[in-house]
Amino acid sequence: MPNRRALLGGVLALPALSRARAADWPERPIRLVVPYPAGGGVDMTARLMTAALSAKLGQTIVVDNRAGAGSNIGAEYVARSAPDGYTAILSTNSTFV
């Protein structure tokens, strides 16, 4: 059984590891799912936002329109994607209610 000092040292090292990993974060393109048709208000907002965010992060952000079923198709795609931080959704409140 490890002693208190060993446990405390391990716990204190965890934040340092997470900071190091977060510093490497956008290693590949990010997918921003918009669950509405292309050309709509949310899509235009996403494209304006990704242009500025892409320049700041230094990584490509791809806008992926997955319209249909009252935005449930895009929301389901994001919910089932890998939890690695490379797939996000931009939607309205009605999608999540």
Side-chain angles (χ1 to χ4, degrees), residues 33 35 66 71-81 89 91 95-96:
V33 175
R66 291 187 179 254
S71 72
N72 287 330
I73 292 174
E76 182 179 4
Y77 176 81
V78 173
R80 293 177 187 257
S81 68
I89 187 168
S91 188
T95 303
F96 306 110

Side-chain angles (χ1 to χ4, degrees), residues 6-78:
L7 282 175
L8 186 58
V11 171
L12 293 176
L14 289 177
L17 289 174
S18 65
R19 275 194 303 267
R21 180 139 172 89
D24 300 337
W25 171 56
E27 296 174 334
R28 62 179 204 254
I30 299 166
R31 178 181 306 270
L32 181 64
V33 175
V34 176
Y36 301 103
V42 178
D43 179 58
M44 293 171 100
T45 301
R47 292 179 190 280
L48 290 171
M49 185 179 77
T50 56
L53 192 56
S54 180
K56 186 164 182 103
L57 291 175
Q59 191 59 260
T60 303
I61 300 175
V62 178
V63 176
D64 184 4
N65 294 91
R66 291 187 179 254
S71 72
N72 287 330
I73 292 174
E76 182 179 4
Y77 176 81
V78 173

